[in-house]
Structures are given as C-alpha cells and as structure tokens.
Amino acid sequence: MLTRQLASRFCKDRESMRRCLGYLRKKDFVASAEGVHQITDKGRQFLAEGRTITSGPCGGNTTSRRAPTLRQRAWRVMRMRDGFSVEDLLGTLCDDNEGDPGRNLRRYITALEAAGYLSPFRRRSEGGGTRWFLRREMNTGPEAPALNTRAKRLTDHNTGKKFALGDQPLEASHVR
Amino acid sequence: MRRMFVKTENYMKFTDGIQKIESRGAKEAGMMLVCGAPGYGKTTIVERWASDEGALHLRANVDWTPRYFLTELAKVLFAEENEIPRGTSSQLFEIMFERLKGGDIPLVIDEAEFTLHKKAATLEKIRDFSDRAEMTVVLIGMQNIVREVAKHGQINGRIGHVVEFGPATASDIAQTCDQLCEVRLSPDLKAEVHRLSGGRMRQALNIIASIEQVAEASGLEEVDVPDLDGMPLSFDWQTRTPSTVRAGRRGR
Ligand SMILES: Nc1ncnc2c1ncn2[C@@H]1O[C@H](COP(=O)(O)OP(=O)(O)OP(=O)(O)O)[C@@H](O)[C@H]1O
Ligand SMILES: [Mg+2]
C-alpha cells in the first residue's frame, strides 16, 4: 500500500504515517520500496500472536503519542458537550494565555461554523459569549477537521472532505 | 476575567487516581469513581483529562437503558464510518468489544447515577466492557454514588479506586484569583473569596467577576476587603440570602 492510502486508512496525516512506518521498518515489521509498503513475515507473526507495540513513536497501535494540539483537544470537547462557548473551551483546555489561545479557538470555530459543523445557540452563555453546538450529523469522527488558515481550507480526515471557506475573514467576531 | 484551567488539588487527586488505575495488572479492577458535591469541578476536570487522552465520553441521562447506552457508544465509536452498526444488543456489544479490546481508549460516563436504574443494568454493561476489554472506565456522580454502587457487589468489586472531590482549598482559590482575575486582590480578599464561594469553583468565578466590576467602577488596581465591605458578592440559594464581604477579619 502507499503511504497516502495507509494515512487515510488510519486517519493520520501523511507526515505522522511516514514516521510510524519508519519505526515499523526499523523493527522489520514492514518493508518499503519506492513509497510502497508491505507487511513482513515477522510483522505478520507479531500480529498473529496478538501482541501490540507498547512504546515508540506510534504508541500502542498507530495512534501517535505526540501531544494533541489545542484545536484537536477543542474538537474532542465539542464532541463531548451539548454546547460550549469560547470561554468554556479556554477554562477546560488552557493553562495560560500563551499564544492567544482565544483567538486561535475563535478562528477555528468560525471555520467550523462556515463549513456547517457548528450552529450557534440563540441564547448566550452567562459571561455573554455565543454558545455553539456540534451538529449531530457533523460529528464525523475522532480526527479534528484541520484548518489551513492561509489557504482558507478545512480538511476533514475522517471523511476525506475538503471545504473552501471563501472570502469572509476567519476572525469575524460573533456579535449577533 | 481571564478564562483558564486551574490545576486544583482535586485535579491532582484525579490524575493520581488515574495513574493508579492505568498501572494496574490485567486482572485488577479497571473502573474509577469520581464523586463530590455540585460545582466542585468534576465535569471540567474529567473533560480536561478526556480531551488530553482522546477518551470516549458520554453523559448518561434519566432514560438510559443498556440498549440506549450501547447505541450512544456506537455513535461516537463509529462516527467516522458511513454506517453505524445495527443489531441486537449482544451483537452491538460484540462489535464494539472487538474495537475496544486492549484498553487503549478509556471511557468516561458523566452523571453516572443514571446508569443505576433497574438493578444497575446499564452499569453492568459498562462493567462488562471494562472487564473484558480491559479498558479504563471513569464514572462521575454526586457524593452518594459511592453508597449506591456499593449495593451492587459484582460491580463494586470492579471499582479500583474512588476519588472524592472536596471543596477548593484556600490555596486553590488564591491560585484561581491569581490566574483569572484581571485586578490584583489582597491576600485577605482572596481568603474572603474562598469563604464566600464555599469552595465551589462556579461560585468563585462569579465572585471574581463581581469584584472586577467593582474595581472597574471605582478605578481600583488592587482590591482589598475594606473596599468591598458589606457588598453582596454571592447568593446562598439555600437560605435565599446574599452573602456579603466582611471586613475586620484580619489575622485569621
Ligand atoms: N479546574 C478548574 N479550572 C477552571 N474553572 C473550573 C475548574 N473547575 C471548575 N471550574 C468552573 O466551575 C464550573 C463548575 O464546575 P463543574 O461543572 O465541572 O462542576 P461539577 O462538579 O461537574 O458540578 P455538577 O455536580 O453540578 O455537575 C465550571 O463551569 C467551570 O467554569
Ligand atoms: Mg458535572
């Protein structure tokens, strides 16, 4: 299989898939030639014994142990909650104000709303901020839709769908 | 007011508990119970952990049955697939068991008292996953959930650890003031926030917001107890009276 196919099969970006394959190659579980990868007999035997790799860059199976980003963690909270505001996300996820996480989250939310993932509630939160909810049919899976701010493109690795976000500024404030 | 997560003593207790559960041997109990009064921060702290870990997270509700639970779990577990598996309860269980076997993905159930209906039938299902798939399960409930779960011997034996959340300590609240409040508070006022909040994070946040309003209105950069003497900063819903700041309590 190709790196790209594996990446999409495991809902990973290609870079982390490449790192993971490199690790499996070192262990002789996978052989690769010209970007095509195949499981080895040793790898097959390892699987047949029902064993799992418990350390290394790929973690237990193919889940990368790299710390998830703020947006990834925010996506996870969106999936857990019936509704949330930017303040809720900050109060749950951020230990400091380093790098203006509020701005980062507002951009992400604006993009998710534009792509149809989020809808706003009519009523505001106690602190006065807008609250959103993740629409049921848009709870597409564990991978956070990836926002490329410069290209104004949102890519959902769960479904493979891409959204062009048009011309509206992604920092548009949510004063309604 | 700034908004941030505060690493309170309850948070430390919780992460210690998780470590105990996750380092257990294969045959040991894999369920953890988190309990405590409303507003102590159970939901916030466990959501924080669940979002770091990518845990599955469900909130039980009043009409949960084993079937309802299995359907909700299938929805989050198979979200990225075009089709959510259907079938009898035992078919659903087996399909999800296959996916969860090995215990890489923990499961959180908030408002877990709702799994205790009908002889805890739903909690029995959850216990099945925990035991057979060897996965970590975190159950969140009010104080009396410990007693309620204890009535079901089978399940109770699978609770490896209980974390009881207490009220925020004086140092928790001082830290909360330092992190969140945009004006400086005197040590006495931080102690007063602690007293008025009753150690409830929700209350503490409301009080800090009120103090900021007062500070803004009177142009103060640092606020001390006398600046707020007699002002109602929180409301006691049980006695239906506002609690006010009390000066002259120095040297406690
Ligand atoms: N560690 C924390 N850091 C920052 N804010 C917190 C923290 N813990 C709690 N809070 C704030 O306090 C509020 C109440 O906390 P939370 O809802 O987590 O309590 P709870 O114990 O789950 O209460 P209930 O029993 O009512 O469900 C939250 O909305 C959040 O704003
Ligand atoms: Mg709660």
Side-chain angles (χ1 to χ4, degrees):
Chain A
M1 277 216 263
L2 300 169
T3 312
R4 172 174 49 77
Q5 293 168 321
L6 286 163
S8 106
R9 181 73 190 79
F10 290 116
C11 293
K12 309 211 66 74
D13 59 68
R14 250 189 272 180
E15 179 48 35
S16 38
M17 196 67 234
R18 242 196 307 275
R19 265 186 291 120
C20 190
L21 285 163
Y23 178 76
L24 292 171
R25 212 159 27 234
K26 254 195 228 148
K27 295 220 152 203
D28 281 326
F29 291 152
V30 162
S32 313
E34 291 173 332
V36 183
H37 315 281
Q38 193 173 17
I39 188 165
T40 60
D41 288 345
K42 187 177 167 198
R44 213 168 260 125
Q45 190 185 348
F46 190 84
L47 284 178
E49 290 165 1
R51 288 158 66 192
T52 50
I53 298 166
T54 50
S55 66
C58 304
N61 39 40
T62 49
T63 2
S64 155
R65 290 277 177 202
R66 255 206 307 182
T69 65
L70 176 60
R71 287 176 184 171
Q72 283 167 336
R73 296 187 300 133
W75 170 253
R76 289 169 178 177
V77 173
M78 293 174 196
R79 297 185 74 207
M80 293 176 205
R81 288 189 156 219
D82 294 333
F84 63 90
S85 63
V86 173
E87 291 71 31
D88 291 334
L89 295 178
L90 290 170
T92 306
L93 300 174
C94 298
D95 300 334
D96 52 44
N97 271 327
E98 213 61 49
D100 202 348
R103 176 156 177 249
N104 184 352
L105 289 172
R106 272 188 292 275
R107 280 184 174 189
Y108 190 46
I109 288 172
T110 305
L112 287 173
E113 186 182 358
Y117 285 81
L118 301 179
S119 292
F121 279 103
R122 204 163 57 78
R123 290 170 62 185
R124 286 163 180 278
S125 70
E126 272 177 71
T130 307
R131 293 165 62 244
W132 286 268
F133 63 93
L134 177 60
R135 297 165 54 148
R136 216 152 222 256
E137 70 278 15
M138 298 307 274
N139 185 350
T140 50
E143 294 292 310
L147 172 62
N148 183 328
T149 312
R150 208 164 297 151
K152 296 204 169 139
R153 196 180 53 229
L154 190 77
T155 309
D156 188 334
H157 289 290
N158 301 300
T159 58
K161 273 200 191 125
K162 283 187 170 55
F163 301 85
L165 295 173
D167 290 329
Q168 78 265 44
L170 287 174
E171 282 140 89
S173 67
H174 277 267
V175 190
R176 275 158 204 276
Chain B
M1 190 170 61
R2 293 181 283 259
R3 290 302 298 271
M4 270 177 254
F5 183 75
V6 185
K7 293 188 171 165
T8 56
E9 291 190 15
N10 284 328
Y11 175 72
M12 302 303 173
K13 259 199 253 181
F14 174 78
T15 52
D16 280 354
I18 282 292
Q19 215 158 23
K20 289 205 179 85
I21 288 283
E22 302 239 285
S23 57
R24 73 198 187 276
K27 289 283 160 264
E28 287 171 70
M31 298 210 289
M32 184 163 117
L33 208 48
V34 173
C35 63
Y40 282 177
K42 304 180 294 291
T43 297
T44 306
I45 284 169
V46 181
E47 276 183 0
R48 164 55 181 260
W49 172 77
S51 66
D52 286 341
E53 296 297 315
L56 298 165
H57 184 290
L58 298 174
R59 184 162 36 261
N61 66 48
V62 65
D63 36 28
W64 257 30
T65 58
R67 171 88 200 166
Y68 191 165
F69 155 69
L70 288 167
T71 316
E72 292 291 296
L73 186 61
K75 275 186 207 155
V76 289
L77 195 53
F78 295 97
E80 74 271 34
E81 255 122 275
N82 284 330
E83 232 168 303
I84 288 156
R86 270 179 259 227
T88 63
S89 290
S90 53
Q91 282 165 340
L92 271 183
F93 181 90
E94 288 306 324
I95 294 167
M96 292 197 279
F97 168 68
E98 276 309 311
R99 173 74 67 108
L100 293 168
K101 201 160 60 180
D104 278 334
I105 312 176
L107 170 66
V108 174
I109 309 284
D110 202 351
E111 314 275 346
E113 23 276 305
F114 296 128
T115 62
L116 289 163
H117 296 324
K118 301 236 165 100
K119 297 190 181 146
T122 308
L123 192 48
E124 283 289 358
K125 268 278 154 294
I126 295 166
R127 179 191 64 92
D128 249 10
F129 277 111
S130 171
D131 270 8
R132 290 183 50 206
E134 295 185 19
M135 60 195 284
T136 299
V137 173
V138 177
L139 304 167
I140 310 171
M142 309 276 245
Q143 300 104 306
N144 56 0
I145 195 168
V146 181
R147 228 178 325 123
E148 292 303 311
V149 170
K151 291 179 186 162
H152 308 276
Q154 275 267 40
I155 298 170
N156 202 41
R158 307 312 293 159
I159 305 282
H161 196 68
V162 177
V163 176
E164 193 178 340
F165 274 31
T169 63
S171 92
D172 285 338
I173 295 292
Q175 196 189 335
T176 306
C177 294
D178 292 342
Q179 271 185 257
L180 306 186
C181 191
E182 301 195 57
V183 289
R184 247 173 308 128
L185 307 187
S186 70
D188 283 348
L189 186 52
K190 290 177 196 170
E192 200 53 9
V193 175
H194 181 232
R195 183 183 69 86
L196 290 170
S197 68
R200 289 184 167 73
M201 290 297 282
R202 193 179 281 135
Q203 291 279 58
L205 264 50
N206 290 338
I207 294 169
I208 291 171
S210 311
I211 293 176
E212 282 184 350
Q213 278 175 6
V214 175
E216 172 146 37
S218 40
L220 295 168
E221 266 171 36
E222 173 160 350
V223 191
D224 197 359
V225 176
D227 299 322
L228 301 169
D229 192 20
M231 269 186 214
L233 287 185
S234 78
F235 193 83
D236 185 334
W237 293 100
Q238 251 148 35
T239 58
R240 293 174 192 280
T241 48
S243 327
T244 52
V245 173
R246 272 186 252 150
R249 292 164 59 94
R250 268 166 210 274
R252 268 167 304 157

